[in-house]
């Protein structure tokens, strides 16, 4: 367990004072620049062969990408967002380093966070250029950019499920991941039929550790106990001071995906036996 975190029960005066002084989300310290080195083809291809897709996946592993999957951007999302050029998405995740987790909310934590964003963004552009070179058109959704809801896209791609903290919870790392995406003209990507992690929402409905352990009180429980809590943007300091308390307090981070799933299965079995489910 990381030291000096609210989930470990330690709230030192210095930490609390620093958080109070720097409350409020200000992401202006990070400038996004298009890193594409290759332009989109005039007549882009729409189908990719299995061999080339495997090469893309192997290339992503060499760039330390944790997982790669595929999703269709929902029609209602496309209708509301004119900035999205393509409906087909290649969704990527990268681990949030323990160096960031171990830091208390501070300029140092945010500096480390920005370095990770830059690294992940560069990797995403490199994969995008690889596809452009092969004749496919792409649009990068940078992990720091709000081009689209990346957590929802990750859920659509069956990479995990959105938890109460509003973060994508994955089998590999729980909520300790960043997400990016490459929107593309490729129409024959191997999309997932269903989400195998949907059970997570039932666990999150009963767990509110992320809410209780947010020193800024930026997460608020919904009245109907929906899995996803309400986020008060002006209180959250995740994007300005690298705060990770909602990650550190999450059982999926503390105990792991399999441990939580086993606990949830046992609970649901008991409820079914008692006729309460």
């Amino acid at each position: 367990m990381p030291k000096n975190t609210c989930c470990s029960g330690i709230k030192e005066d210095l930490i609390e004072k620093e958080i109070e002084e720097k409350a409020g989300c200000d992401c202006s310290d990070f400038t996004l620049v298009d890193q594409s080195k290759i332009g989109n083809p005039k007549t882009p291809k729409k189908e990719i062969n299995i061999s080339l897709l495997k090469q893309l996946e192997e290339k992503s592993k060499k760039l330390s990408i944790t997982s790669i999957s595929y999703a269709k951007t929902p029609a209602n999302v496309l209708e509301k967002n004119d900035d999205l050029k393509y409906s087909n998405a290649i969704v990527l995740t990268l681990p949030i380093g323990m160096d960031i987790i171990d830091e208390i909310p501070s300029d140092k934590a945010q500096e480390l966070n920005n370095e990770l964003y830059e690294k992940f963004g560069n990797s995403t552009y490199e994969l995008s250029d690889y596809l452009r070179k092969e004749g496919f058109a792409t649009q990068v959704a940078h992990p720091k950019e709000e081009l689209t809801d990346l957590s929802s896209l990750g859920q659509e791609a069956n990479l995990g499920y959105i938890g109460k903290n509003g973060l994508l919870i994955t089998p590999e790392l729980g909520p300790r991941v960043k997400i990016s995406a490459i929107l593309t003209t490729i129409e024959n990507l191997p999309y997932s039929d269903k989400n195998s992690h949907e059970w997570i929402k039932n666990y999150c409905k009963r767990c509110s550790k992320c809410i209780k352990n947010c020193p800024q009180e930026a997460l608020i429980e919904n009245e109907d106990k929906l899995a996803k809590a309400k986020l008060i943007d002006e209180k959250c300091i995740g994007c300005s001071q690298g705060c990770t308390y909602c990650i550190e307090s999450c059982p999926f981070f503390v105990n792991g995906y399999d441990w939580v799933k086993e606990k949830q299965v046992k609970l649901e079995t008991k409820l079914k036996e008692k006729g309460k489910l």
Side-chain angles (χ1 to χ4, degrees):
M1 174 64 65
K3 296 179 180 179
N4 294 338
T5 64
C6 56
C7 60
S8 64
I10 301 175
K11 294 185 179 180
E12 300 179 21
D13 293 340
L14 179 61
I15 299 174
E16 291 182 342
K17 182 180 180 181
E18 186 172 1
I19 289 174
E20 286 176 5
E21 290 176 348
K22 297 180 178 179
C25 191
D26 179 12
C27 303
S28 59
D29 62 336
F30 193 93
T31 303
L32 289 170
V33 179
D34 190 330
Q35 299 289 328
S36 300
K37 296 179 180 178
I38 299 175
N40 270 322
K42 293 181 179 180
T43 308
K45 297 178 182 178
K46 294 185 178 181
E47 292 192 0
I48 190 170
N49 61 53
I50 295 176
S51 176
L52 187 56
L53 190 62
K54 291 296 181 184
Q55 289 178 39
L56 177 72
E57 292 175 351
E58 288 300 318
K59 188 173 180 62
S60 73
K61 290 179 182 178
K62 292 179 180 179
L63 293 170
S64 302
I65 302 297
T66 305
S67 54
I68 177 171
S69 193
Y70 312 94
K72 272 279 188 185
T73 302
N76 63 322
V77 174
L78 285 171
E79 290 173 2
K80 296 177 182 178
N81 191 341
D82 294 333
D83 293 329
L84 300 179
K85 296 179 180 179
Y86 315 110
S87 61
N88 315 294
I90 299 169
V91 191
L92 313 164
T93 64
L94 189 74
I96 296 173
M98 288 305 299
D99 54 344
I100 298 175
I101 298 293
D102 289 343
E103 281 287 336
I104 64 170
S106 61
D107 290 340
K108 175 62 176 177
Q110 188 55 35
E111 180 183 341
L112 292 170
N113 209 31
N114 285 343
E115 288 175 0
L116 180 61
Y117 274 126
E118 183 175 7
K119 174 187 175 182
F120 194 14
N122 290 343
S123 296
T124 305
Y125 274 108
E126 186 172 338
L127 293 173
S128 171
D129 280 342
Y130 178 79
L131 289 172
R132 289 184 177 188
K133 186 177 180 181
E134 294 295 332
F136 305 100
T138 63
Q139 178 186 21
V140 168
H142 194 281
K144 182 72 170 178
E145 187 179 21
E146 296 182 359
L147 178 64
T148 188
D149 186 338
L150 291 169
S151 291
S152 294
L153 204 55
Q155 183 171 291
E156 287 285 335
N158 194 28
L159 287 174
Y161 208 85
I162 297 174
K164 184 167 283 188
N165 51 19
L167 304 174
L168 184 72
I169 295 174
T170 66
E172 299 84 4
L173 294 164
R176 190 170 66 90
V177 295
K178 299 287 188 187
I179 310 167
S180 73
I182 302 171
L183 307 181
T184 178
T185 52
I186 304 172
E187 296 178 347
N188 65 328
L189 295 170
Y191 305 110
S192 299
D193 301 14
K194 59 180 180 179
N195 191 301
S196 57
H197 313 288
E198 194 171 355
W199 65 270
I200 290 174
K201 67 180 180 182
N202 295 324
Y203 180 86
C204 283
K205 285 179 182 178
R206 298 184 177 90
C207 177
S208 298
K209 289 186 177 180
C210 56
I211 294 176
K212 295 174 182 176
N213 285 287
C214 176
Q216 291 301 118
E217 298 182 350
L219 292 170
I220 299 177
E221 188 82 75
N222 280 288
E223 293 180 2
D224 53 4
K225 296 287 182 179
L226 290 173
K228 188 176 178 180
K230 294 178 182 178
L231 175 66
I232 310 301
D233 289 324
E234 58 268 25
K235 288 188 175 183
C236 179
I237 57 172
C239 68
S240 61
Q241 291 298 303
C243 182
T244 60
Y245 288 162
C246 59
I247 293 175
E248 295 172 65
S249 60
C250 178
F252 286 94
F253 168 76
V254 177
N255 300 303
Y257 181 96
D258 292 336
W259 183 91
V260 176
K261 187 173 184 179
E262 182 179 352
K263 184 176 181 180
Q264 181 64 20
V265 169
K266 288 181 179 179
L267 175 60
E268 291 184 357
T269 300
K270 288 182 179 179
L271 292 175
K272 287 179 181 178
E273 291 173 352
K274 296 179 180 180
K276 295 182 179 181
L277 188 66

